[in-house]
Amino acid sequence: MTQKNSRLAFTGLTAALGLSVGLALVADSAGAQSRPRALPNVSQRLAEPPLVYRVNEGDTLIDVARKYLRHPLDYRYLQRDNNIANPRAIPIGRMINIDTALLRTRADPARLDSYRGDVQVIRNGQSVPLSVGMELRENDSIATGGNSFVRITFSDDSRSVMPSNSRLRLERLRRFVINNQPDHRLVVENGRVENRVTPRQSPGAFRVTTPTAISAVRGTDFRVAYDAASRISATSVLEGAVAVAPDAGRDADAALVRDGSGVSTAEGQTSLTASALLPAPALVSEDSLQTAQTLSFRTTTQGNASIVRGWIGQDAGLTDPVAELEAPASDGVLRLTDLPEGRWYLRLSAVDTNLIEGRTRTYDFIRALNTIEGLESSSELKGRERIFRFGWSAAGEGNAQFRFQLFATDENGTPVGEPMVDTPGLTESFFTLSNLPAGNYSWRVESARYRFGHRLSAWSKPELLTISR
């Protein structure tokens, strides 16, 4: 779409939001999927309805133009469009129509509320230094690298969160003078953006575009994704309603997508079909306590899920994520190797085969490292005694106590009977025995710590030992 057509398309989308139109498909109360159906059109064509202005005492068209229009001489358009003979004499209370393209706006910068990882803000072709709270301006571009996040806050406390490997341009950051309503336009050039938009009045909207789709709202919670390789866009609506149009220029109709549904659009597409959002994946309950070196979250999904996605953060709302994890739905295991100890939150969602991200569910979990590895054994003669030394290494915060166990085994290394030695309460990372008879043995060690109100227990893998005389 050319820039000119893009502007024409945007104006019509906001009108769609005011219409009361039902969606042919929504998710049921259990979150199950329903058969996709074509969405109804909610605008005849992409044309913005005019602003209706009530004439106040002392108003003239020239006064209105001077205060609210981009060019004072544009009062002539108001005179023509409203069939007003004398622009200096208008009855009080008369309603006149004003083309929104004529309205004057002022700059309405956004703010870089937080960021993490590899983030760039590009202004006039140059990367600018980052700082929390810095002003973001119209036409700034923002790019994130792997496992990086940005939170943008707008003047009305609406916010957008960009996850990893995304690129976004702030195409329009304006505010209408006539009603002080913000009018913002974001362009997703690659990747994803999540948006929570404060309700707005017309004129004034929040719009997100990609090269293949346009999404506009006046207050809702929705996501937009764009894959530059396939040129496929996806919009999923978690709350409220979003007007979505495929990129087909003037002849494209906008459709209203309500909460619990999503649409996917490809290049050249002229109509939209909705599908119910996938239900959130479920987390295996035992994974709420993460003590291993590599965190591992096992999930289960439903429907045509292609990807399991997880965001990790320290607040339940995931306003400031610190990590993003993905895995094929066929595997369903999310893994992470580096996370400080503490109480954390994991938000799970599933992405379907059309790139539409489904509903979310958030779980709390505890990260408390408690590992034991590096088992080694050695022996030496002291006089007539043979001393066996068993050592290990452990990782984790807080004081650990160890439990040493030694088993007799058969030739295959399988323990036979109860442990020959079972010694708990050790505080050192070694244990010694003397004069073990010849034979086959296995030994293992438990590391136990108390963290965050839990007893953490980790057993090493058994280590085999053969003593011969």
Side-chain angles (χ1 to χ4, degrees), residues 250-309:
R250 285 176 176 269
D251 295 329
D253 282 321
L256 198 64
V257 183
R258 295 193 182 277
D259 53 20
S261 297
V263 293
S264 181
T265 58
E267 190 172 22
Q269 187 172 330
T270 58
S271 61
L272 298 176
T273 299
S275 60
L277 299 183
L278 289 172
L283 180 68
V284 175
S285 59
E286 290 84 355
D287 291 347
S288 61
L289 185 60
Q290 295 285 330
T291 61
Q293 191 74 48
T294 297
L295 288 78
S296 178
F297 301 97
R298 295 165 293 166
T299 67
T300 58
T301 58
Q302 302 178 37
N304 63 331
S306 174
I307 295 171
V308 177
R309 180 172 291 149

Side-chain angles (χ1 to χ4, degrees), residues 154-333:
F154 299 89
S155 58
D156 64 344
D157 290 330
S158 298
R159 69 171 185 263
S160 295
V161 177
M162 289 175 57
S164 310
N165 302 313
S166 298
R167 186 178 179 94
L168 179 75
R169 182 163 57 88
L170 304 175
E171 186 177 61
R172 181 176 173 85
L173 295 176
R174 310 297 297 177
R175 186 175 284 268
F176 287 105
V177 172
I178 195 167
N179 63 352
N180 201 38
Q181 286 295 299
D183 194 51
H184 299 145
R185 186 182 306 164
L186 318 182
V187 179
V188 179
E189 297 173 343
N190 192 52
R192 294 172 284 127
V193 62
E194 297 197 358
N195 312 285
R196 180 172 288 275
V197 182
T198 302
R200 302 177 177 191
Q201 298 175 358
S202 178
F206 189 96
R207 307 157 179 122
V208 180
T209 72
T210 74
T212 59
I214 304 163
S215 303
V217 301
R218 285 208 180 93
T220 188
D221 189 354
F222 72 110
R223 308 188 190 101
V224 174
Y226 176 66
D227 178 52
S230 63
R231 296 184 64 81
I232 292 177
S233 299
T235 301
S236 57
V237 183
L238 301 176
E239 180 181 306
V242 176
V244 180
D247 178 15
R250 285 176 176 269
D251 295 329
D253 282 321
L256 198 64
V257 183
R258 295 193 182 277
D259 53 20
S261 297
V263 293
S264 181
T265 58
E267 190 172 22
Q269 187 172 330
T270 58
S271 61
L272 298 176
T273 299
S275 60
L277 299 183
L278 289 172
L283 180 68
V284 175
S285 59
E286 290 84 355
D287 291 347
S288 61
L289 185 60
Q290 295 285 330
T291 61
Q293 191 74 48
T294 297
L295 288 78
S296 178
F297 301 97
R298 295 165 293 166
T299 67
T300 58
T301 58
Q302 302 178 37
N304 63 331
S306 174
I307 295 171
V308 177
R309 180 172 291 149
W311 280 15
I312 291 178
Q314 290 185 299
D315 63 296
L318 274 296
T319 54
D320 284 312
V322 301
E324 181 177 49
L325 319 175
E326 285 190 356
S330 56
D331 174 28
V333 182

Side-chain angles (χ1 to χ4, degrees), residues 21-32:
V21 177
L23 187 62
L25 176 148
V26 295
D28 60 25
S29 58

Side-chain angles (χ1 to χ4, degrees), residues 46-189:
L46 297 177
E48 175 77 34
L51 171 74
V52 179
Y53 177 81
R54 183 183 185 279
V55 175
N56 298 307
E57 184 177 357
D59 273 347
T60 69
L61 287 189
I62 298 171
D63 293 331
V64 172
R66 187 180 296 114
K67 287 190 293 185
Y68 301 126
L69 303 190
R70 294 190 301 164
H71 304 291
L73 291 180
D74 284 348
Y75 79 87
R76 295 172 295 184
Y77 295 112
L78 304 188
Q79 183 178 5
R80 179 199 64 190
D81 295 343
N82 293 276
N83 298 315
I84 296 175
N86 185 353
R88 299 182 181 276
I90 316 172
I92 296 173
R94 175 168 176 178
M95 313 303 285
I96 61 174
N97 294 325
I98 303 177
D99 185 342
T100 56
L102 302 176
L103 290 172
R104 182 156 57 96
T105 60
R106 57 181 173 83
D108 191 35
R111 182 177 73 247
L112 182 66
D113 232 10
S114 66
Y115 68 94
R116 179 180 295 270
D118 179 17
V119 176
Q120 281 189 310
V121 173
I122 301 154
R123 181 175 296 156
N124 299 323
Q126 301 292 324
S127 180
V128 299
L130 299 186
S131 61
V132 172
M134 69 179 286
E135 182 178 274
L136 297 175
R137 304 173 188 171
E138 198 168 85
N139 285 318
D140 282 354
S141 290
I142 305 165
T144 58
N147 207 30
S148 302
F149 295 88
V150 169
R151 188 175 81 232
I152 304 166
T153 299
F154 299 89
S155 58
D156 64 344
D157 290 330
S158 298
R159 69 171 185 263
S160 295
V161 177
M162 289 175 57
S164 310
N165 302 313
S166 298
R167 186 178 179 94
L168 179 75
R169 182 163 57 88
L170 304 175
E171 186 177 61
R172 181 176 173 85
L173 295 176
R174 310 297 297 177
R175 186 175 284 268
F176 287 105
V177 172
I178 195 167
N179 63 352
N180 201 38
Q181 286 295 299
D183 194 51
H184 299 145
R185 186 182 306 164
L186 318 182
V187 179
V188 179
E189 297 173 343

Side-chain angles (χ1 to χ4, degrees), residues 455-466:
R455 182 184 185 274
L456 310 181
S457 173
W459 283 95
S460 68
K461 293 181 178 179
E463 186 76 12
L464 299 181
L465 173 66
T466 297

